[in-house]
Amino acid sequence: MSKETARYYNDKNALIDRLNSVDKKHLAILEYEFKSKKGPINDLRKEMLKYLRHGNKLDEQTFEKLIHKHRTGNEDKFDLFSEFLMFQQFLAPYEHKVIDDFVKQFRNEIINRLQLKGKVKHKYIDFQGRPHPGVEKFSLAIYDTRQDSKSKPLQLLVEFQDSSITYGVKRQLEKNYTIKPEVQSSVNFNFEALISFFEQNKGLVLRDEV
């Protein structure tokens, strides 16, 4: 998914093609959601939604013309957003469903392989948005079921960012890992190495003070 998102971020024509393929039912839902929202970027989104809802297809000239219309006089606000982030919500249902399905399968496989079913809780955090413009980042944390997530438990953590996957043992909200993490490329990711690493260290998470 990181490569797909990066393609929309870096390739304007790919983003335009994707916007042209958004389902009309979803466009109608978005139009309702944005109806009461204010601000120049939301005004752009509303006009873009109206344009697509009426069966029109974007080309690069129309796309840039609409952005220029709302950007003029509001450059300071538009400078905070890439073109991808302006319209990320248009794509969200499809993109997030793919990620959510993957994370669920990935999480269940880890828990089952480590024989942790009933012993741990899990938390999925999605970091997409303005703090990380153009970057897709999300993490999966697994921790002792007796722990409250607010108590900063030790956790088995997997972080996905761009084309890398980092995994290790880390206490929630702390910057540094408790156990030095392993970093793999998503292209050559070795799931068995992750399982072996977590098998060696799962005792730290289960023995963490409650």
Side-chain angles (χ1 to χ4, degrees):
M1 281 306 300
S2 295
K3 290 183 178 179
E4 189 71 5
T5 299
R7 188 166 70 91
Y8 297 142
Y9 181 76
N10 295 314
D11 186 342
K12 183 184 298 182
N13 289 320
L15 176 59
I16 290 171
D17 288 343
R18 182 70 182 86
L19 289 171
N20 282 330
S21 69
V22 176
D23 184 81
K24 284 190 176 182
K25 290 182 180 179
H26 178 52
L27 292 174
I29 293 171
L30 284 172
E31 199 168 34
Y32 177 79
E33 289 180 353
F34 281 110
K35 186 176 181 180
S36 61
K37 294 185 177 182
K38 308 294 184 182
I41 291 176
N42 284 323
D43 289 342
L44 166 63
R45 289 166 174 159
K46 285 187 278 189
E47 184 166 357
M48 188 72 75
L49 284 167
K50 183 178 180 180
Y51 183 86
L52 293 171
R53 276 262 286 153
H54 286 177
N56 299 303
K57 295 295 183 182
L58 292 166
D59 56 25
E60 187 172 351
Q61 183 178 0
T62 304
F63 182 77
E64 291 182 348
K65 184 178 179 180
L66 285 171
I67 292 175
H68 178 74
K69 172 184 174 181
H70 293 275
R71 188 178 189 278
T72 302
N74 298 294
E75 288 81 2
D76 57 330
K77 294 180 176 64
F78 272 74
D79 286 346
L80 296 172
F81 289 80
S82 66
E83 290 172 348
F84 169 72
L85 286 178
M86 289 177 198
F87 305 108
Q88 185 181 16
Q89 288 162 287
F90 289 38
L91 319 180
Y94 170 76
E95 308 299 340
H96 285 184
K97 184 180 186 304
V98 174
I99 294 175
D100 290 346
D101 288 348
F102 163 74
V103 170
K104 183 177 180 180
Q105 182 179 359
F106 187 79
R107 174 198 73 207
N108 290 343
E109 183 68 14
I110 291 174
I111 291 174
N112 290 335
R113 290 284 299 277
L114 297 177
Q115 299 182 327
L116 293 175
K117 191 172 183 179
K119 299 178 182 180
V120 293
K121 297 178 182 178
H122 48 79
K123 187 175 184 180
Y124 163 52
I125 305 172
D126 185 349
F127 292 92
Q128 294 186 78
R130 279 177 58 183
H132 306 274
V135 176
E136 181 175 297
K137 178 181 178 181
F138 57 96
S139 68
L140 171 66
I142 299 172
Y143 55 95
D144 195 315
T145 190
R146 297 170 296 172
Q147 291 272 25
D148 186 324
S149 62
K150 296 179 181 178
S151 64
K152 299 182 181 179
L154 274 175
Q155 52 194 12
L156 303 177
L157 184 67
V158 187
E159 295 185 298
F160 301 82
Q161 181 168 344
D162 294 334
S163 59
S164 67
I165 300 172
T166 304
Y167 55 89
V169 178
K170 185 178 181 182
R171 192 171 295 281
Q172 184 172 308
L173 302 180
E174 289 190 359
K175 183 177 181 179
N176 298 320
Y177 278 84
T178 303
I179 301 294
K180 184 179 178 181
E182 298 288 331
V183 182
Q184 292 192 41
S185 164
S186 61
V187 177
N188 301 309
F189 179 63
N190 185 337
F191 183 73
E192 294 304 318
L194 177 147
I195 291 296
S196 177
F197 180 92
F198 280 166
E199 182 66 48
Q200 294 174 35
N201 293 291
K202 67 180 184 182
L204 292 174
V205 173
L206 297 176
R207 290 196 303 268
D208 193 25
E209 292 184 7
V210 179

